[in-house]
Every structure is written in C-alpha cells, then in structure tokens.
Amino acid sequence: MAKRDHRKGALPFKFVAIPVPVLESPEYRALPDAARALLIDLLMQFTGKNNGRVSTSFVALQRYGWTSKSKLERAKAALLQAPFVLVTRRGRPPNTTEWVGVTWLPLDFDRTMDVDPRSWPYMNFQTIEAGAIDPNHGRAKQFGRPRIRGDGKALPRGIAPESGVMT
C-alpha cells in the first residue's frame, strides 16, 4: 500500500486562490485576457512559501503554454500596472530572472530581492475600491409589494395593533 503524503483534512491537490475583492476590482476587470491568464499561471508557480520569488521569464512560463515572447511581455506590462502584483527583483539577463509577488499574500523575503520587506503592501486589495457589483442590478423584484399591516388584514390573535407586542 502506498503511504499518503498529505495531512488529515488537507487537499491532495494544488489550487489557485484569488480573493473575490480582487476579482471584482475595476483594475482586474480592465486587464486584458492575456494578463489575467498570466496572473493565474504565475500563481500556479506559488508553493505556499515563495511569494515574491515567482518567475516571469519566458522559459519558466513555456510549460504553462506561453509560446510568444512579445505576447508575454505585453501581458506582463499590463499586469504590473495593476496594484496587486509587484516586482520584487529586477531581472539582470542572462544571470538572474525577474521575480514578482502578489500583495494579498505575505512576502516571503529573500535577501536578493530589491524591495524592503517592511514596505510590502500586504492586503492592499482591501483598499482598492471594489466595483461593488450588484448581482441583482436590473432584475425584477422576486416578491410583490411588502405586506404592511395597515392593509386591512387581521393580525394574529393576541397581538396589539398599536404596538405589535403580544398581549
């Protein structure tokens, strides 16, 4: 029998977590589709202990299906304009690659990073004005007019009509 390598209650697979306020933000909604796909592909590299050390190089992203360097560069430029993805280390080709991190996770600092860990804008998506998307906008009301007790219908026995208190 094979031994299970996951703790009790832990999921036996990886997943990508993006907070709903980020998905509802106007900044995320304004991103091109390639930049949204790049964000998901960058989060697929996240292991739980490497936020800020996620590579944006073409070679690293080829395994996720990126085939065009120019499209990757355009998507990266658009994604870095968003307030929830920041560069943590500038790439110096051919020796070092550029690293990025997402701001809804704490920074896993490495001394080779170009950012100060004390200035990391952790959880800054909460300051982004979420689009406040109303899921019921434009929908017809499901119920008729609210029932008002002045409509002539009798109250249940034992309730005083003036105060609404049981007697």
Side-chain angles (χ1 to χ4, degrees), residues 7 16 23 36-37 46 64 68 87 94 99 105 110-111 129 131 138 158:
R7 297 179 308 274
V16 173
L23 297 174
R36 291 182 189 189
F46 180 64
Y64 298 115
S68 170
V87 174
W99 286 345
L105 296 169
D110 185 78
R111 58 186 172 87
E129 186 175 321

Side-chain angles (χ1 to χ4, degrees), residues 19 21-22 25 27 81-86 101-106 119-130:
V22 170
S25 71
E27 291 87 355
Q81 295 298 317
F84 41 82
V85 177
L86 296 175
V102 293
T103 59
W104 63 81
L105 296 169
S119 66
W120 184 250
Y122 178 54
M123 301 286 272
N124 79 329
F125 70 88
Q126 293 178 337
T127 61
I128 298 171
E129 186 175 321

Side-chain angles (χ1 to χ4, degrees), residues 20-92:
V20 171
V22 170
L23 297 174
E24 289 179 344
S25 71
E27 291 87 355
Y28 179 82
R29 296 204 176 266
L31 287 175
D33 292 337
R36 291 182 189 189
L38 177 60
L39 177 63
I40 292 172
D41 290 342
L42 291 174
L43 288 172
M44 286 174 57
Q45 295 179 37
F46 180 64
T47 63
K49 297 179 182 178
N50 67 336
N51 186 35
R53 293 190 311 259
V54 177
S55 176
T56 60
S57 73
F58 178 69
V59 174
L61 291 167
Q62 275 183 320
R63 67 177 161 179
Y64 298 115
W66 289 88
T67 57
S68 170
K69 285 185 180 181
S70 62
K71 187 168 189 169
L72 175 64
E73 290 300 319
R74 287 192 307 268
K76 188 185 344 179
L79 188 60
L80 291 176
Q81 295 298 317
F84 41 82
V85 177
L86 296 175
V87 174
T88 57
R89 182 176 78 175
R90 290 280 172 206
R92 296 168 193 90

Side-chain angles (χ1 to χ4, degrees), residues 32 50 95 102-103 109 117 125 134 138 148 154 164-165:
N50 67 336
N95 297 331
V102 293
T103 59
F109 184 71
F125 70 88
D134 182 16
I148 302 171
V165 178

Side-chain angles (χ1 to χ4, degrees), residues 141-160:
K141 300 243 187 241
Q142 292 181 356
F143 305 105
R145 62 183 171 84
R147 207 160 119 173
I148 302 171
R149 287 300 174 187
D151 60 0
K153 295 187 179 181
L155 290 170
R157 200 168 9 138
I159 298 181

